[in-house]
Amino acid sequence: PAPKLQLLPDVVNDLHAALTAAGEQGPYVLVGHSLGGLEARLFAQSWPSEVAGLVLVDTSPAASFLLEADIPGIENALSMELITHAKLKCVLQAARGVELSSPEYSDCVQPLPNDTPAALRRVWPRCCGSDYHAAQLSLVSSLVTHRYDSADRLSLGDKPLVVLSAETEFPPSIVGVEFSQAFSKYWFAQPEALARLAASFTPCGME
């Protein structure tokens, strides 16, 4: 665990320090999913000469929570208040020593697929303790208390950039019809905006 609760730049600095300590030679191709996509862009912004290219997987703009605040129905589906409440609940459950297999903890950890290697199964409990959830809570909260918008004005020049996004909408049965339609329209506009960080932009679909 980190010595203190982290903000996004702390994660990026830790990654850079880990790569340096391990003797890994750049430049690197960074692959970031969700919040990791923003971390990858911050890394490229801090050490541009050490980045060969980026792959962003279902990620969003730095100010996504502020941009999403006016989407109809978000207060009952995906608001910052709901997310922080859920993360805090996981922190408390983990601190109490609730087992990963307990129904009380089911919303706090993704189940492992049946073919997960035994080595990963052994360390999995360490990945989902109170330190992990506290870090998640701190990082998500920092999106509305700090501004990282400069990462979305990053110029990659001729470095390759791949932006991947799911093509399915959020299930209305889970988040409600109103929110599903409004948020999906917003969400699917993001990949093209991020792809324009590269100098040459060519949109392409998937079969």
Side-chain angles (χ1 to χ4, degrees):
K4 61 182 179 64
L5 291 177
Q6 295 189 301
L7 302 178
L8 290 177
D10 298 320
V11 177
V12 174
N13 290 336
D14 282 351
L15 174 59
H16 186 263
L19 290 169
T20 302
E24 294 290 342
Q25 298 296 312
Y28 314 106
V29 175
L30 301 178
V31 182
H33 166 249
S34 190
L35 192 58
L38 176 53
E39 292 167 349
R41 301 198 299 279
L42 288 171
F43 189 107
Q45 186 179 38
S46 299
W47 297 282
S49 64
E50 298 184 29
V51 175
L54 292 176
V55 180
L56 305 177
V57 185
D58 267 329
T59 186
S60 58
S64 58
F65 277 110
L66 299 176
L67 295 172
E68 295 164 10
D70 295 329
I71 295 178
I74 195 168
E75 66 279 357
N76 296 317
L78 198 67
S79 68
M80 176 59 75
E81 289 81 2
L82 290 176
I83 291 175
T84 52
H85 178 270
K87 292 294 181 185
L88 182 56
K89 179 181 177 181
C90 293
V91 172
L92 297 175
Q93 296 280 44
R96 286 175 49 216
V98 176
E99 294 292 329
L100 267 66
S101 57
S102 169
E104 295 177 88
Y105 209 62
S106 60
D107 293 334
C108 298
V109 59
Q110 293 293 323
L112 292 172
N114 293 332
D115 59 352
T116 299
L120 179 55
R121 286 191 180 279
R122 285 194 295 272
V123 301
W124 189 242
R126 282 186 274 156
C127 298
C128 306
S130 57
D131 291 312
Y132 167 80
H133 291 299
Q136 287 270 301
L137 179 59
S138 177
L139 292 173
V140 172
S141 299
S142 75
L143 292 177
V144 295
T145 57
H146 295 71
R147 301 304 296 266
Y148 304 110
D149 300 33
S150 59
D152 290 337
R153 294 190 293 272
L154 173 70
S155 176
L156 291 174
D158 59 358
K159 294 176 182 177
L161 168 67
V162 175
V163 181
L164 303 176
S165 178
E167 290 189 313
T168 56
E169 295 185 354
F170 285 76
S173 60
I174 297 176
V175 297
V177 174
E178 180 185 37
F179 177 77
S180 175
Q181 294 175 344
F183 187 80
S184 295
K185 182 178 180 180
Y186 156 80
W187 180 259
F188 295 131
Q190 305 313 311
E192 183 172 325
L194 290 172
R196 294 186 184 278
L197 295 174
S200 57
F201 166 66
T202 304
C204 58
M206 294 191 300
E207 295 296 332

